[in-house]
Amino acid sequence: MRKIKLSIVVILGLVLPLVSCGNIESTGNAPQWKSYSGDPVIERKVDSVLNLMTLEEKIGQMNQYSGNFAVTGEVAETKAGEYLKKGMIGSTFNTFGADHIRMLQEQNLKYSRLKIPMLFAADVIHGLETTFPIPLAEACSWDLELMEQSARIAAEEATASGIAWNFAPMIDIARDPRWGRVMEGAGEDPYLGSLVARARVKGFQGIETYKDFSKINTMMATSKHFVGYGAAQAGRDYHSVDMSVRTLHETYLPPFKAAVDEGVTSFMTAFNDLNGVPCTGNKYLFKEILRDQWGFGGMVVTDYTAIQEMVAHGFARDIKHATELAIDAGIDMDMISEGFVTCLKELVEEGKVSEKQIDVAVSRILEMKFLLGLFDDPFKYCDAERQKKTVMNPEYLKAAREVAQRSIVLLENKNNVLPLEKDEPKRVALIGPFVKERESLNGEWAIKGDRSKSVTLMEGLQEKYRDSQVKFSYAQGTSLPVIDRTTQKVSTTTVPDRSGFPEAINLARNSDVILVAMGEKYHWSGEAASRTDITLPGNQRELLKELKKTGKPIILVLFNGRPLDLSWEAENMDAIVEAWYPGTMAGHAVADVLSGDYNPSAKLVMTFPRNVGQIPIFYNVKNTGRPFDENNPADYRSSYIDSPNSPVYPFGYGLSYTSFEYTNAMISSKKLERGGDLTVSVDVTNTGNMDGEEVVQLYIHDKVGSVVRPVKELKGFKKIHLKKGETKAVEFTIDEEMLKMYNIDMEWVAEPGEFEAWIGASSADESNHLEFSLVE
Ligand code: NOJ
């Protein structure tokens, strides 16, 4: 297909009077454009295009649609098609394929008077076609390089398939497992969440400096959803968020700031209101924090129909009012609402919105198109040959298998029932709806991951144990219930009954070990998939109870997108393997872990509660005036009368087939001077029979503050590999920076006083305790 070069615009950019050098002049309070790149050449190019544009064309750049506007090479008679013919779409999302996007771009260029390239975006959340584990799972690897690598592969595939802008990473802190979108993020902790945010932004964007955007395999990343979306009231998606400014700054903002520090190019608004102001119309968030305090120069897109939704929120009278509020808040691009495209012109004519405001937004959008090189070659990401060579190439599949292995968390392993050694003769009863389940293995947001290509557990086991002493037989036992969204109940046509129980129980009786694979159907988590009951759905637990009666050891493998209530399973199962949704290579990766070919090393990044009543539950809570006293449980102290305070599995928890001993905790000095540092260290020994990896974690507690501090906070971690019998000293440096917090006046300072630290295997491991003080 013919390549259209848009040199005309570029040439214009160089010869036109170099107006205002990228900074739209500000008069009084008029907004200013501060470019992302800070590069005067790019700024001049942007200005020169902007100066040629009509108001309608500018507004068109701020308009984003989903899906296709052309199906067979000609513009379809749709709303999107209508705007396209007027040259009034700046971006579309979630269409794929080098050839297809080439065709769409051709259509766009045909109608765009100034030949302004369209920007194609997509939700490439955990891989494009090669599907990696869901992000929550991957975060459990605590392996930042690995996460960067999987994001890089996703970018390689996506940029070969026409996509230059990724709506990822989702970096919302999430502490409520009822909320279905916990599967998309990195869990509950702001420190770990910030590092993961950086790793993923780095992976997707693949740049050291903005100049690298000229490379073929770089894409824009999006920090979403700004902000607080993970704190939706009662875990119900899109629900209201009410939190203190302190909590916002201490817990929910840090990953977003980290993404800005990593050079992220775009932000997406959150659907929710934050303390009464919908995020899409929230000046405090976008102007004060993001632009003024953090100096963010990239672009901001709304979430899907979020401008329109401000009417339902009761914040805007109508779409026109909502549009005014959004542009005033500093939003650059309108996803789907059509508020900008239908109302902005009128608002300008009425003097309610200035053309300067629009120029600023359009400059941000144009800058990205220049940085990506789309003005030079609008078909840069449309090389069908490259796409063919890139997607699902064997190297990527290999990486996907490794990432999946490293994301699987071993939760229980009583009497070392695992691994299932290949050379030990054993009859294994394979039971449960996930043994042959294929469709769910990619999890939600596997946008182009072909579900039919994912490897089932059965297939993985068959290959792994082909020539072994382990013999499998299978009975499904029960099936996964399906939710009928119209009644919000389990569908009456798919209610799992107990008819499969007898066959499964019989099989179990005639086996040495029972391996059960259970979980949630993939769309039980993700967007608009909140649950009020987080136990295993349907009658899966009932089946487990029946199997338990056989007295045979049971290994439970779980496939799910959120922490579940495993209170009964934890006590009654011999082994529990949390596989999450492992992606394309699911069956192989789980078989690698079950067989011991890979020794599990992942640790939870979200607390697993005992019941929904404990939610929200997370490790870094504040202490009360009446902390629970184990020696006096009946006292009037902060506790429940019907449940312990502690979770089933804490943050940072995960087992290995080997064991690690922590000894010799030491501190280099009891006093830390401002500007100085000290070292804490521990010796970690692999005391078991296998080589393995351990995530060694450092937690710190500020004992007395001008405001109450959490009982502990993660401040560092190291993932180390230890051969059996090997000992390594693990050291962490503690400095003043690490002790900083928002004091009573909301200043970011370290307050002098006493601190305690723990170096351990999880947030609940307090065996290696150290103390020091920060002195003036
Ligand atoms: C709505 C989701 O909240 C957001 O994360 C996603 O990027 C958009 N839809 C586009 O698919």
Side-chain angles (χ1 to χ4, degrees), residues 10-67:
V10 178
I11 291 167
L12 283 173
L14 295 174
V15 294
L16 274 173
L18 302 177
V19 216
S20 71
C21 296
N23 288 310
I24 290 155
E25 284 154 32
S26 84
T27 46
N29 287 329
Q32 262 197 298
W33 174 45
K34 179 185 153 293
S35 69
Y36 169 86
S37 63
D39 181 339
V41 176
I42 300 277
E43 290 168 353
R44 283 198 292 270
K45 287 181 181 176
V46 168
D47 282 351
S48 56
V49 177
L50 192 72
N51 284 327
L52 297 173
M53 293 172 81
T54 63
L55 178 60
E56 281 87 348
E57 284 167 341
K58 290 176 188 172
I59 292 170
Q61 283 302 302
M62 300 162 73
N63 182 28
Q64 188 184 53
Y65 271 105
S66 91

Side-chain angles (χ1 to χ4, degrees), residues 93-94 123 167 181 224-225 268 271 303-304 335 527:
F93 63 98
N94 290 352
D123 291 279
F167 291 154
R181 298 194 80 165
K224 71 183 192 187
H225 307 82
M268 186 184 289
F271 283 123
D303 203 343
Y304 203 103
M335 186 195 290
E527 190 177 344

Side-chain angles (χ1 to χ4, degrees), residues 557-706:
V557 183
L558 292 170
F559 297 84
N560 48 290
R562 57 159 58 74
L564 294 172
D565 162 355
L566 297 177
S567 45
W568 184 87
E569 290 77 5
E571 274 186 28
N572 292 284
M573 296 294 98
D574 297 273
I576 303 181
V577 175
E578 178 52 86
W580 307 107
Y581 297 118
T584 311
M585 301 304 274
H588 290 315
V590 177
D592 292 336
V593 167
L594 293 174
S595 62
D597 283 354
Y598 181 77
N599 185 359
S601 63
K603 304 242 186 186
L604 296 178
V605 294
M606 260 189 102
T607 304
F608 274 47
R610 290 176 192 276
N611 48 59
V612 283
Q614 289 184 318
I615 298 170
I617 181 168
F618 46 92
Y619 81 94
N620 45 357
V621 289
K622 291 178 186 126
N623 230 336
T624 68
R626 293 184 173 204
F628 180 67
D629 179 0
E630 273 173 19
N631 301 319
N632 196 1
D635 199 8
Y636 276 56
R637 287 181 171 264
S638 185
S639 62
Y640 300 101
I641 55 171
D642 58 355
S643 165
N645 288 0
S646 64
V648 177
Y649 300 117
F651 175 85
Y653 168 85
L655 301 174
S656 160
Y657 294 148
T658 190
S659 47
F660 299 102
E661 204 175 282
Y662 288 60
T663 53
N664 243 347
M666 286 198 292
I667 188 158
S668 61
S669 163
K670 289 270 179 198
K671 291 204 188 318
L672 173 63
E673 311 229 333
R674 285 197 191 276
D677 57 42
L678 57 78
T679 308
V680 290
S681 62
V682 75
D683 290 340
V684 185
T685 306
N686 181 343
T687 49
N689 289 323
M690 271 176 105
D691 298 351
E693 287 158 293
E694 171 72 333
V695 181
V696 182
Q697 301 157 47
L698 169 70
Y699 294 89
I700 294 183
H701 175 213
D702 185 344
K703 287 168 93 169
V704 179
S706 60

Side-chain angles (χ1 to χ4, degrees), residues 64 66 93-94 122-125 166-168 170 172 181 184 222 224-225 229 237-238 268-271 301-305 335-336 445 447 527:
Q64 188 184 53
S66 91
F93 63 98
N94 290 352
D123 291 279
V124 187
I125 309 291
N166 194 3
F167 291 154
M170 185 278 219
D172 296 308
R181 298 194 80 165
E184 266 178 83
T222 307
K224 71 183 192 187
H225 307 82
Y229 189 32
D237 206 3
Y238 316 121
M268 186 184 289
T269 68
F271 283 123
V301 64
T302 71
D303 203 343
Y304 203 103
T305 60
M335 186 195 290
I336 300 284
W445 285 117
I447 194 100
E527 190 177 344

